[in-house]
Amino acid sequence: MDIINPANDSIITSIKEDSIEVLSDKIDHLRFGQKEWAKQTVAHRLKCIVRFGELVLENVNELATILSEETGKPIQQSINEIKGAQNRIEHLKLNAEKWLAEEVIEGLETTYEKITYEPLGVICNISAWNFPYNVGYNVFLYALVAGNAVAYKPSEFATLTGLQFQKLLYEAGVPENVFHCIIGGAEVGEYLLESDFDGYFFTGSHKTGQYIAKKVAHKLVPVQLELGGKDPLYVMEDVADVKIAAINAAEGAFYNNGQSCCALERIYVHAAIYDEFVKELVKEVNNYKMGDPLNKETFIGPLTRKAQLPILQYQVEDALAKGGVLMTGGTEVNNSGNYFEPTVFKDVNHEMKLMQEESFGPIIGIQKVNNDEQAIDLMKDSDYGLTSAVFSTSKERADHVFDQMNSGTVYWNCCDRVSPNVPWSGRKNSGLGATLSVQGIRAFTLPKAYHWREV
Ligand code: NAD
């Protein structure tokens, strides 16, 4: 498997994909290791994860370079991701022992009752490339602390980063038969679906997630899916500062080149501030520096996957044909590498693919609305349900919108944000189950109920 640098199409290195034999050896190894790992205290398992976090920080520059080279993520954003993901470890440090402890039910007279949380066993984590630290940590760190062994398949577009996770986890004291990085793409993923696991935890597209859920349904083991989004923002006319609102919206749409599951993908703006908002947003986007991901000044790098370029081009042509007004960008940059100009459309509508299908790239559509009810109707008009945002000085008006959103997360005056303190979950085509928060660790356990009566 060639690892390609998306900034210049060069081959960074070639790696051997796991064969069925290698894979089944790894899984057997994990089965054996998990039994011993589960016998360790939570404190011991946590100590290994904390050490892993320290090692990651000690090597942040090298790790960021690896991530930027294989995914095209601008280097400053790679550093931000690696440092930002540490909050999962802090969160586990504070809470894991409490959340995994047995719970004794108080105040009973004749029967003693308690709940214990046992690990699932050996879990399979098939992951995405866009934020491999964030989405990887959400699964494998929480799973390990809960006493599971993990077969972690990074995306074929983030394999080198996945191998670094393995190296540093081992160095931090996680036994080699408790975590294995599985090397390969969709075909190796298929082997994993046919193998024997105690849970499947997937991050990626709706199409693959739905396929996986169907394929493993007969096993009756937990399946969690963190999938795509088409996340809306509504900018009300009472925002304190239209320019600041536009700058924040642009960042929400274009950070990581728009390749974030919770990136803004649709913007609705009240008519009273529409023209000013569009002007400020376009000005901000035109100031973004596009270029070499290893340059610290770069904000827009290449897309990670070449296959996304024609999808974006198609969305542009479709929006133009249906009356959208192109304000900036609109085409692939014909150098080597997967560069696409940051693109802004105004006067879009829901007939356009740009407002219906996940773009996952540096492109945004802005639509004018006349009142909150019209905005709510448009925000709800999507097959996805990951996040919904409102920029406004009125919490009451924002809450009125949020009450009607069928999304796992709602944001008031912020967006494109994930916190370990609260569950991360998608509804409808955006996913199934939750990571992070207490739910995100319990997801890797099986509760056992005890009823004890002395006779
Ligand atoms: P993808 O679905 O193409 O691939 C995801 C993973 O699935 C990869 O590891 C891939 O090798 C594997 N895979 C592909 N086909 C498979 C098969 N038949 N069997 C088993 N495994 C298979 O997605 P991607 O391009 O890596 O990620 C982008 C998508 O992920 C976007 O839709 C994005 O919104 C979503 N995402 C969601 C979240 C979230 O938390 N909700 C986070 C990050 C990314």
Side-chain angles (χ1 to χ4, degrees), residues 125-132 134-135 138 153-157 184-193 202-209 211-212 215 225-230 258-263 265 305 308 358 360 384 386 418 424-426 430-431 435:
N125 178 198
I126 299 179
S127 201
W129 46 266
N130 60 330
F131 283 93
N134 291 344
V135 301
N138 291 358
K153 196 192 87 55
S155 160
E156 55 274 40
F157 297 97
E187 200 181 321
V188 172
E190 287 281 349
Y191 299 158
L192 289 169
L193 305 185
F202 172 76
T203 307
S205 62
H206 165 254
K207 185 168 162 252
T208 312
Y211 171 79
I212 289 176
K215 185 94 195 238
L225 309 171
E226 305 276 0
L227 310 178
K230 191 73 195 168
Q259 300 169 123
S260 165
C261 52
C262 52
E265 293 242 345
R305 289 162 46 244
Q308 201 66 12
E358 189 179 41
F360 224 58
Y384 290 101
L386 194 56
V418 178
W424 184 244
S425 65
S430 292
T435 51

Side-chain angles (χ1 to χ4, degrees), residues 402-414:
F402 296 151
D403 285 348
Q404 297 173 73
M405 290 301 113
N406 190 11
S407 60
T409 294
V410 292
Y411 299 117
W412 183 42
N413 293 326
C414 56

Side-chain angles (χ1 to χ4, degrees), residues 31-73:
R31 275 268 152 239
F32 186 73
Q34 192 270 330
K35 293 191 174 54
E36 291 307 307
W37 183 241
K39 287 182 197 155
Q40 303 289 337
T41 60
V42 176
H44 171 81
R45 298 195 295 255
L46 207 45
K47 205 168 121 213
C48 298
I49 298 309
V50 170
R51 181 68 194 130
F52 166 76
E54 290 166 357
L55 290 169
V56 167
L57 288 186
E58 284 165 23
N59 294 284
V60 63
N61 290 328
E62 186 196 339
L63 294 170
T65 304
I66 293 171
L67 179 58
S68 289
E69 280 178 349
E70 70 177 337
T71 65
K73 188 188 291 270

Side-chain angles (χ1 to χ4, degrees), residues 385-406:
L386 194 56
T387 79
S388 312
V390 171
F391 288 179
S392 166
T393 43
S394 167
K395 185 168 171 300
E396 208 183 336
R397 274 175 76 191
D399 272 340
H400 173 67
V401 176
F402 296 151
D403 285 348
Q404 297 173 73
M405 290 301 113
N406 190 11

Side-chain angles (χ1 to χ4, degrees), residues 33-268:
Q34 192 270 330
K35 293 191 174 54
E36 291 307 307
W37 183 241
K39 287 182 197 155
Q40 303 289 337
T41 60
V42 176
H44 171 81
R45 298 195 295 255
L46 207 45
K47 205 168 121 213
C48 298
I49 298 309
V50 170
R51 181 68 194 130
F52 166 76
E54 290 166 357
L55 290 169
V56 167
L57 288 186
E58 284 165 23
N59 294 284
V60 63
N61 290 328
E62 186 196 339
L63 294 170
T65 304
I66 293 171
L67 179 58
S68 289
E69 280 178 349
E70 70 177 337
T71 65
K73 188 188 291 270
I75 189 80
Q76 189 55 53
Q77 295 178 27
S78 292
I79 293 170
N80 295 349
E81 181 187 344
I82 294 171
K83 290 187 175 169
Q86 284 295 118
N87 66 8
R88 277 73 167 165
I89 298 176
E90 291 305 317
H91 183 242
L92 283 167
K93 227 161 93 177
L94 278 177
N95 297 300
E97 285 191 85
K98 178 177 74 195
W99 287 338
L100 293 170
E102 63 177 35
E103 292 171 28
V104 176
I105 312 304
E106 306 286 348
L108 302 178
E109 283 172 12
T110 54
T111 311
Y112 172 88
E113 293 175 3
K114 73 170 182 178
I115 312 164
T116 59
Y117 294 97
E118 299 178 353
L120 295 175
V122 181
I123 66 125
C124 173
N125 178 198
I126 299 179
S127 201
W129 46 266
N130 60 330
F131 283 93
Y133 283 80
N134 291 344
V135 301
Y137 284 13
N138 291 358
V139 175
F140 68 71
L141 291 187
Y142 286 72
L144 288 170
V145 170
N148 299 279
V150 180
Y152 169 71
K153 196 192 87 55
S155 160
E156 55 274 40
F157 297 97
T159 307
L160 301 180
T161 294
L163 286 167
Q164 293 297 315
F165 293 155
Q166 174 171 281
K167 178 175 152 236
L168 296 179
L169 282 168
Y170 292 168
E171 216 172 311
V174 173
E176 294 194 10
N177 54 9
V178 167
F179 183 92
H180 271 303
C181 184
I182 309 294
I183 313 293
E187 200 181 321
V188 172
E190 287 281 349
Y191 299 158
L192 289 169
L193 305 185
E194 281 152 23
S195 304
D196 184 20
F197 286 105
D198 302 308
Y200 285 85
F201 294 80
F202 172 76
T203 307
S205 62
H206 165 254
K207 185 168 162 252
T208 312
Q210 191 181 51
Y211 171 79
I212 289 176
K214 281 185 190 161
K215 185 94 195 238
V216 302
H218 69 280
K219 302 185 188 203
L220 299 183
V221 296
V223 176
Q224 283 208 174
L225 309 171
E226 305 276 0
L227 310 178
K230 191 73 195 168
D231 294 357
L233 161 69
Y234 172 31
V235 187
M236 293 183 179
E237 77 289 358
D238 66 356
V239 285
D241 185 326
V242 174
K243 181 175 173 181
I244 299 291
I247 290 172
N248 290 337
E251 179 165 352
F254 290 93
Y255 193 82
N256 198 35
N257 228 342
Q259 300 169 123
S260 165
C261 52
C262 52
L264 294 180
E265 293 242 345
R266 300 180 279 150
I267 301 180
Y268 307 100

